[in-house]
Amino acid sequence: MRYLTDRKRAMGKGSAHSGTEHHWYMTVSAVGLAFMVPAWLYIFGSALGGTQEEVVATFARPFPAILTALVIFVGMRHFAKGATMMIEDYSQGSTRRVLVIIAISLSYAITATGLFALARIAL
């Protein structure tokens, strides 16, 4: 005999039995981005319009380089998860699979390109 109530068995689980992990990830990454992006915009804005040597000097320092890498990585993961969720809500069948693959591939390509460019500047 099971001693769990119906409510206890259903706690934190959706129809797919995966719980609220996706929503929780999106919430945490959105809060993280809400703190990182304004700081990054300040750094990026101060470097904008400078000479190449000034921009390289700005992004060669550890804090701007690490913050830029975090914004690129977390932002693109947030984009990939959000785009996947949107595509799953509004398309079906093989179109859904192709669009999810395109969205995730695009986010990986942008992440790789941005981190490569940052590494070229910082090193």
Side-chain angles (χ1 to χ4, degrees):
M1 180 172 186
R2 297 190 69 181
Y3 294 105
L4 295 176
T5 64
D6 291 337
R7 181 175 183 268
K8 184 67 175 178
R9 280 192 294 275
M11 213 50 182
K13 297 193 184 264
S15 62
H17 299 287
S18 62
T20 58
E21 290 90 10
H22 178 79
H23 176 58
W24 183 245
Y25 175 84
M26 293 297 285
T27 302
V28 170
S29 65
V31 169
L33 286 169
F35 287 110
M36 287 189 292
V37 169
W40 180 79
L41 282 175
Y42 177 76
I43 292 168
F44 181 76
S46 65
L48 192 64
T51 63
Q52 181 180 3
E53 292 80 24
E54 293 170 344
V55 173
V56 169
T58 299
F59 287 101
R61 294 190 320 241
F63 181 73
I66 291 170
L67 182 63
T68 301
L70 281 172
V71 167
I72 291 170
F73 183 77
V74 174
M76 284 298 105
R77 288 302 303 147
H78 186 80
F79 163 78
K81 294 244 182 200
T84 300
M85 185 173 63
M86 177 195 64
I87 291 166
E88 288 172 349
D89 286 345
Y90 294 109
S91 65
Q92 318 173 20
S94 60
T95 304
R96 173 189 293 181
R97 286 188 283 275
V98 169
L99 289 175
V100 167
I101 290 170
I102 289 171
I104 292 173
S105 299
L106 178 66
S107 73
Y108 285 159
I110 292 171
T111 301
T113 304
L115 293 178
F116 175 76
L118 181 63
R120 293 279 304 205
I121 289 172
L123 300 178

